[in-house]
Amino acid sequence: MSFESITAQPAEAIPTPIFSSAKHDGDRYSPFTVNIDRLVPFRTLTGRQQFYLDHEIFQEYGEMLANYKPTLPPQVMAPGDTTVKRDDHELALRYMTPHGKWNIHTMYYDNLEMLTLFRGGPNVWLSPIDADKAGIKDNDWLEIYNRNGVVTARAVVSHRMPAGSMYMYHAQDMEIQEPLANITGNRGGSHNAPTQIHIKPTQMVGGYGQLSYGFNYYGPIGNQRDLYVAVRKLKKVNWNED
Amino acid sequence: MADFGSILLWVIFPYAMMLSFIFGTIVRFVWFRAGITAVSSEMLEKRKLMIGSLVFHVGIILAFFGHVLGILIPKSWTEFFGISNEMYHLFGSLMMGTGAGLLALAGMMILTYRRFTNARVFVTSSWTDLVVDVALLITIILGLASTLSGPLFPKFDYRETLSVWARQLFYLSPNWHLMSGVPVIYKLHVICGFLIFGFFPYTRLVHALTLPWQYIFRRYIVYRRKPKAD
Amino acid sequence: MEDEEHYRGGWELNSKGKLQLKAGNKLNKVGLGKIFYNPNMPELDDYYEPWTYDYQTLFGPEKKHQPVARAKSQITGQTMTLTTGPNWDDDLAGSPEYVKQDPNMDKIETDIKTNFEQAFMMYLPRLCEHCLNAPCVASCPSGAMYKRDEDGIVLVDQERCRGWRMCMTGCPYKKVYFNWKTNKAEKCTFCYPRIEEGEPTVCAETCVGRIRYIGVMLYDADRVESAAETPDQSKLYEAQLDLFLDPNDPKIIEQALADGISEEMIECAQRSPIYRMAVKEKIAFPLHPEYRTMPMVWYIPPLSPIMNYFEGRDSINNPDMIFPGIDEMRVPVDYLASLLTGGNVPAIKSALYKLAMMRLYMRAKTSGRDFETAKLARVGLTENTATSLYRLLAIAKYEDRFVIPKSHKEKVEDAQSEQGTLGYDECKGCSLAPQHGSMFKKAEAGESTNQIYAESFYGGIWRD
């Protein structure tokens, strides 16, 4: 495989026999098939599929089984943060960063084909109800911020969004079509600009069956994305390409 | 020396252009058939094209038939039908010719303006597209000027000089002396016309030769069958 | 672009009840000026202006601000403000504006509400329909567009296309495109080199959801025109069904063989998944039959808008709720009928009943619940047909989805010398399996198989 071949057209690769598709008989990749097909024990303490976690830290937090946790109350800026002058029409929305329709995680999305398949630049989704409140129309430039950072993106108004929430799909990087944010005077960030890392104590468990490090097996959960952003129209669209 | 100049202009040059036309057409249709298209830019700009293209095509087709009439039909024929020379010049040449010429000119001006000012159209034009536009514009202006300036040269009758020479070209015995008395503006128009004729098959103009008249008589759905194995 | 009252695609009946292209008759195209200017042709902005990014600016010299690549027109090279694109309204994006513009909504009397609670999504992949009565073919003045006799694929002969652009107008699905660089028309080729080899099209092969099926349909070409002239547009779907011939009928087989259709083709027609779904079970429908194009890409109406509505209500205890539900939910059903049957609502409903019944039966069967099998007969199913239909639709095995005969081109052409003559030859890295190229070179250079193996593999894993 060469750079020339992968830029010309998609090519198959067989990365590792454990994680991905060591294909046989034309089977496509699917996780854990090897455990079923070849009777390889699952990498848990019991060797079986396991839902109950008996580790003492999990017991301490009462999270031995999956359980419901309410979201945190809306907070955009905390006391003591830099003050940002509020806009008259400003929304506070729950901010979520789901997988894109055509890409997952940090899969490179900023190529022409992918960008042509939607709006060609950073975009955020919100409901028509919220959009009306702030006078936002489809394809308007928005400025989205909270205490962690600022991102600018175009609005996608759709009734498939419930009121009070906002989507910014994964891996929309700041190299493409990203104007300056009015608040900072610098280029807006990526979808991760308003998020921050929280470490949850239960993630500190290690070396215990499936609760051990394995690349792409065990990672942080989505709690760092349980947050809110303030949304306003971007007044000046300034590119400052110099 | 003057003779040589005249022979060059009124014998060698027209035949060179005509040969180029025939040669080019054959080459284009035999070996480069796939490249023949109308080179439409309607997709890129529509409104100016609507007026420009319609007006120009109507004008140029009328002008084409006007030329055919004026050149190919000898004076004796029209006189035989009782059309006097004055009537012919007034109605046929001056009125019809000016009308067609103005249509073609108006259309061509819009089209040329459009080609040079519309960014999408301009950048997708090949250099021959640009040359063709300008050449047509110049030729039309010269042609129109010739027609309108007719009354300025009362002694000059192109049907006794220019047309006769043009017909002689087809008999392969052109008398270049006939062209000596022709006003300069007519001469320029003739030269430009032959130039366009010469590069016709190598440019987009070739689409005029592929008018799909068969379509009118064809059934709607076309099937094609591969040769079957025996 | 979908509004064919504006773009004048497809066919209509003239005052004598005869088929005529909606964009005008033949004379009017060649004779009367439409050839100089086609008033019904969509413009670039009706599609979108293609753009690109100057990615190289991202590697420029150091500047005050982070560098940014902005959209630039592929045509003019100027910076663009993007306002439309090929998938601009994907996933109901911009729905407050775009739903109103959907001409399919106009045909429905009920108001459409765009709210979150009632939202449902349905994807309708629109591709070239390879119509029996193809208006693009009928529109082409040059005769460059044609339908292949052997497999019905509609193609543009690039050598003969003169760029008169009538096909773009003629196609009501707007699936013939104008290449602004070559100034010629281009369209879906139904991957004919693959079809000739008995392989499915790339779009069908790679479909993750396994929703695409390809099979042979035998039809009576002589009756196409009269079927397309059926006056009532809600009867056009049935008129087209009537054109399809039963490949198991001995008379039809005899006639087909006499007409030079191969036995392999007939055998594939008998196993055709399309024949099963369209003719036998009547769960698939043509897209916009009212255009009188007799399209050949058929669609199974989605049950999901209806199922979603009932899921989580009382559907587990009282699954029969779905049937009155189909009657109750007028909006999705009317919408589907306006898309797929020219307004024939009963046909859509009976397909939905059948799909729902199959689903209930399979759910009962796999979860070990009781099911009154007599109910299957109400929708024309038996236990066997319900199970095999489920297999065809839900398991969707490759060999069930694609039943394609080979065209045996090698019998009429010198296949050896034709090899590699189709497709891109100027594209670097597009050759077959470039990663194997080095291996062939090594073999040519005289390396032994064992040597190549040792160099190219480690631990049974391919190394490039």
Side-chain angles (χ1 to χ4, degrees):
Chain A
M1 187 181 295
S2 63
F3 182 71
E4 202 174 61
S5 73
I6 58 168
T7 46
Q9 64 180 48
E12 279 173 356
I14 304 170
T16 91
I18 311 158
F19 175 58
S20 194
S21 52
K23 295 191 299 147
H24 59 95
D25 304 335
D27 280 2
R28 294 292 182 235
Y29 166 70
S30 182
F32 304 121
T33 46
V34 70
N35 304 98
I36 306 295
D37 290 354
R38 306 285 170 91
L39 298 176
V40 176
F42 282 88
R43 298 184 166 218
T44 60
L45 280 184
T46 56
R48 296 165 182 236
Q49 289 187 46
Q50 195 180 323
F51 295 100
Y52 183 79
L53 300 171
D54 63 349
H55 193 277
E56 55 184 352
I57 293 184
F58 276 88
Q59 283 169 340
E60 209 175 303
Y61 282 87
E63 293 185 9
M64 295 83 80
L65 287 170
N67 55 14
Y68 169 75
K69 296 269 167 106
T71 61
L72 300 171
Q75 185 192 36
V76 172
M77 304 299 272
D81 286 343
T82 328
T83 35
V84 174
K85 196 166 166 275
R86 273 181 65 87
D87 193 87
D88 289 343
H89 301 284
E90 205 171 85
L91 300 165
L93 300 176
R94 269 194 81 181
Y95 182 74
M96 287 167 274
T97 56
H99 288 159
K101 185 171 173 178
W102 316 101
N103 64 323
I104 56 168
H105 298 263
T106 47
M107 189 187 280
Y108 184 60
Y109 181 79
D110 290 335
N111 59 59
L112 183 59
E113 286 79 11
M114 287 289 116
L115 290 166
T116 308
L117 277 176
F118 197 46
R119 300 212 165 175
N123 56 75
V124 287
W125 290 66
L126 72 166
S127 82
I129 299 163
D130 294 325
D132 284 347
K133 275 187 213 156
I136 296 166
K137 292 219 168 52
D138 193 57
N139 213 30
D140 278 351
W141 277 110
L142 301 183
E143 191 169 28
I144 297 120
Y145 73 93
N146 63 14
R147 60 182 311 205
N148 302 317
V150 193
V151 58
T152 54
R154 286 218 187 244
V156 177
V157 181
S158 168
H159 74 275
R160 102 181 157 92
M161 293 298 297
S165 49
M166 168 169 276
Y167 271 3
M168 183 158 189
Y169 284 106
H170 248 87
Q172 305 191 44
D173 285 332
M174 56 194 290
E175 283 80 26
I176 306 286
Q177 289 276 83
E178 181 80 7
L180 300 191
N182 289 180
I183 294 171
T184 58
N186 282 319
R187 202 160 303 289
S190 74
H191 70 285
N192 261 341
T195 66
Q196 68 177 38
I197 297 290
H198 286 297
I199 292 184
K200 202 172 171 235
T202 52
Q203 288 178 286
M204 306 297 278
V205 175
Y208 190 75
Q210 74 272 32
L211 304 174
S212 319
Y213 176 77
F215 179 66
N216 256 350
Y217 270 95
Y218 190 58
I221 54 169
N223 65 334
Q224 79 271 35
R225 284 155 209 281
D226 180 9
L227 40 80
Y228 286 78
V229 287
V231 178
R232 53 161 87 165
K233 277 173 113 166
L234 185 68
K235 289 211 178 64
K236 260 199 239 147
V237 181
N238 192 350
W239 294 97
N240 261 24
E241 286 171 282
D242 335 304
Chain B
M1 209 52 213
D3 281 3
F4 177 72
S6 297
I7 292 171
L8 186 72
L9 273 182
W10 311 120
V11 181
I12 297 172
F13 171 71
Y15 279 120
M17 290 294 116
M18 282 160 88
L19 280 175
S20 159
F21 178 81
I22 294 164
F23 170 79
T25 308
I26 292 169
V27 167
R28 195 82 196 261
F29 277 83
V30 175
W31 289 289
F32 298 95
R33 216 181 148 71
I36 304 171
T37 80
V39 203
S40 164
S41 54
E42 179 173 359
M43 171 105 168
L44 305 172
E45 197 283 336
K46 214 170 148 94
R47 210 170 293 167
K48 288 197 194 82
L49 180 85
M50 174 178 78
I51 310 166
S53 174
L54 283 177
V55 169
F56 166 74
H57 279 98
V58 170
I60 204 77
I61 288 168
L62 286 176
F64 174 75
F65 284 112
H67 280 71
V68 170
L69 285 177
I71 292 167
L72 294 188
I73 297 180
K75 204 170 174 179
S76 53
W77 291 25
T78 45
E79 277 171 359
F80 178 79
F81 286 106
I83 303 166
S84 74
N85 207 23
E86 288 72 32
M87 256 174 68
Y88 175 88
H89 277 288
L90 188 67
F91 289 106
S93 184
L94 202 59
M95 285 177 67
M96 299 285 282
T98 311
L102 280 176
L103 280 179
L105 178 66
M108 204 59 226
M109 276 165 64
I110 296 170
L111 289 180
T112 311
Y113 175 77
R114 168 181 177 273
R115 187 155 296 278
F116 281 86
T117 55
N118 186 299
R120 287 178 184 173
V121 178
F122 183 74
V123 297
T124 51
S125 303
S126 69
W127 65 270
T128 61
D129 293 346
L130 303 177
V131 170
V132 162
D133 267 27
V134 174
L136 276 175
L137 195 61
I138 293 170
T139 311
I140 293 168
I141 292 171
L142 286 170
L144 200 57
S146 314
T147 305
L148 289 174
S149 66
L152 293 179
F153 312 105
K155 280 188 196 148
F156 168 69
D157 183 357
Y158 67 81
R159 298 175 80 207
E160 281 171 352
T161 52
L162 217 165
S163 298
V164 178
W165 164 80
R167 279 201 299 278
Q168 284 169 345
L169 281 174
F170 289 101
Y171 315 143
L172 303 180
S173 59
N175 178 4
W176 49 268
H177 293 291
L178 285 171
M179 290 302 288
S180 56
V182 174
V184 178
I185 196 142
Y186 281 80
K187 283 181 175 168
L188 286 173
H189 177 66
V190 170
I191 291 169
C192 278
F194 271 107
L195 264 176
I196 289 181
F197 207 48
F199 61 66
F200 199 93
Y202 312 102
T203 64
R204 58 182 303 157
L205 292 173
V206 72
H207 76 271
L209 302 176
T210 62
L211 186 74
W213 51 269
Q214 313 94 311
Y215 178 61
I216 300 171
F217 309 103
R218 190 193 90 194
R219 69 196 153 99
Y220 270 130
I221 306 292
V222 179
Y223 278 92
R224 286 200 202 172
R225 189 189 291 254
K226 267 214 167 16
K228 284 255 188 257
D230 300 318
Chain C
M1 283 288 267
E2 266 190 75
D3 187 0
E4 293 309 317
E5 289 310 310
H6 179 65
Y7 293 107
R8 315 291 299 163
W11 301 88
E12 61 188 8
L13 295 181
N14 65 15
S15 51
K16 291 178 199 149
K18 288 276 164 203
L19 272 181
Q20 183 185 305
L21 288 169
K22 198 163 179 164
N25 61 27
K26 290 176 183 171
L27 194 64
N28 147 324
K29 277 191 198 134
V30 180
L32 297 175
K34 273 201 186 164
I35 204 154
F36 306 132
Y37 165 76
N38 176 358
N40 311 314
M41 191 185 118
E43 256 185 293
L44 185 75
D45 292 326
D46 293 334
Y47 301 89
Y48 68 99
E49 184 167 353
W51 69 82
T52 185
Y53 302 89
D54 182 7
Y55 290 102
Q56 211 54 45
T57 55
L58 301 177
F59 302 95
E62 193 181 327
K63 288 171 182 176
K64 187 176 165 235
H65 290 284
Q66 175 96 9
V68 66
R70 294 177 64 190
K72 291 196 168 33
S73 166
Q74 281 192 31
I75 298 180
T76 62
Q78 290 161 355
T79 309
M80 280 172 67
T81 302
L82 303 180
T83 53
T84 183
N87 234 10
W88 196 257
D89 55 353
D90 190 24
D91 283 349
L92 300 176
S95 57
E97 282 170 52
Y98 298 123
V99 168
K100 278 182 234 143
Q101 294 171 15
D102 181 354
N104 297 306
M105 292 286 187
D106 296 343
K107 297 172 192 160
I108 303 171
E109 287 161 24
T110 328
D111 280 341
I112 304 289
K113 290 195 190 73
T114 48
N115 65 32
F116 176 70
E117 279 72 24
Q118 288 182 21
F120 67 88
M121 267 196 270
M122 171 184 120
Y123 295 95
L124 185 86
R126 283 160 38 107
L127 48 153
C128 170
E129 305 278 330
H130 297 276
C131 307
L132 297 183
N133 189 30
C136 55
V137 174
S139 305
C140 177
S142 316
M145 293 197 72
Y146 61 100
K147 197 165 173 63
R148 302 210 315 178
D149 189 72
E150 63 271 29
D151 50 19
I153 295 174
V154 175
L155 293 175
V156 184
D157 182 342
Q158 291 290 312
E159 303 249 325
R160 283 187 66 180
C161 175
R162 299 282 171 268
W164 301 121
R165 316 170 304 287
M166 299 297 171
C167 49
M168 302 170 65
T169 307
C171 176
Y173 310 100
K174 294 289 169 276
K175 290 291 148 191
V176 188
Y177 299 95
F178 187 71
N179 182 327
W180 49 269
K181 277 188 176 164
T182 62
N183 296 296
K184 296 198 176 212
E186 286 178 13
K187 67 180 288 298
C188 156
T189 63
F190 209 69
C191 299
Y192 68 87
R194 290 174 62 94
I195 295 291
E196 285 169 358
E197 283 305 302
E199 287 178 25
T201 61
V202 172
C203 62
E205 163 103 38
T206 55
C207 178
V208 177
R210 303 184 180 185
I211 62 155
R212 296 184 189 221
Y213 296 73
I214 297 174
V216 176
M217 295 296 274
L218 301 179
Y219 71 96
D220 188 347
D222 296 332
R223 284 195 289 125
V224 170
E225 196 177 326
S226 63
E229 281 172 352
T230 307
D232 183 354
Q233 67 168 35
S234 64
K235 296 269 170 16
L236 280 160
Y237 152 63
E238 279 148 0
Q240 187 173 1
L241 262 188
D242 199 40
L243 289 176
F244 299 133
L245 304 173
D246 180 358
N248 292 306
D249 183 342
K251 270 189 207 158
I252 306 266
I253 296 173
E254 198 183 316
Q255 185 60 45
L257 289 171
D259 290 345
I261 290 170
S262 71
E263 277 179 39
E264 189 182 355
M265 180 77 86
I266 295 169
E267 195 260 332
C268 284
Q270 289 167 345
R271 290 191 293 122
S272 167
I274 313 298
Y275 188 77
R276 170 106 206 261
M277 296 190 280
V279 181
K280 275 198 193 148
E281 305 292 357
K282 297 194 173 49
I283 51 167
F285 302 95
L287 182 63
H288 288 300
E290 72 274 17
Y291 297 147
R292 300 178 184 278
T293 50
M294 303 277 136
M296 287 301 274
V297 175
W298 285 34
Y299 295 78
I300 299 177
L303 197 55
S304 51
I306 293 137
M307 294 307 269
N308 285 354
Y309 189 70
F310 288 99
E311 217 56 61
R313 291 181 191 221
D314 202 17
S315 68
I316 298 199
N317 294 324
N318 190 8
D320 277 354
M321 281 285 288
I322 293 162
F323 297 102
I326 292 171
D327 290 327
E328 231 174 80
M329 293 194 65
R330 281 189 52 203
V331 175
V333 174
D334 284 359
Y335 186 78
L336 291 171
S338 86
L339 280 179
L340 299 174
T341 58
N344 182 347
V345 175
I348 294 283
K349 276 189 184 170
S350 69
L352 293 175
Y353 288 153
K354 187 173 270 188
L355 293 169
M357 187 64 88
M358 176 195 80
R359 203 181 142 124
L360 292 181
Y361 169 70
M362 286 312 296
R363 180 188 274 191
K365 197 173 162 183
T366 45
S367 60
R369 281 164 196 265
D370 292 334
F371 189 84
E372 235 181 276
T373 46
K375 283 197 285 189
L376 287 169
R378 281 197 297 195
V379 294
L381 287 172
T382 65
E383 281 190 71
N384 275 339
T385 54
T387 312
S388 74
L389 191 60
Y390 159 78
R391 208 187 132 74
L392 179 63
L393 296 177
I395 307 292
K397 282 286 181 193
Y398 193 89
E399 59 272 21
D400 292 338
R401 274 181 291 151
F402 308 122
V403 184
I404 307 165
K406 288 190 180 183
S407 74
H408 294 291
K409 229 179 150 178
E410 69 279 5
K411 288 185 185 162
V412 285
E413 280 175 9
D414 178 10
Q416 180 97 40
S417 66
E418 294 270 314
Q419 195 175 22
T421 56
L422 292 171
Y424 303 104
D425 37 347
E426 296 288 301
C427 169
K428 275 187 180 176
C430 286
S431 59
L432 204 61
Q435 65 266 45
H436 303 304
S438 57
M439 236 169 64
F440 295 134
K441 272 182 205 141
K442 283 176 187 170
E444 270 171 28
E447 277 192 40
S448 74
T449 318
N450 279 341
Q451 267 175 308
I452 298 170
Y453 182 85
E455 283 166 17
S456 307
F457 292 92
Y458 61 97
I461 294 169
W462 184 256
R463 183 172 61 192
D464 292 308

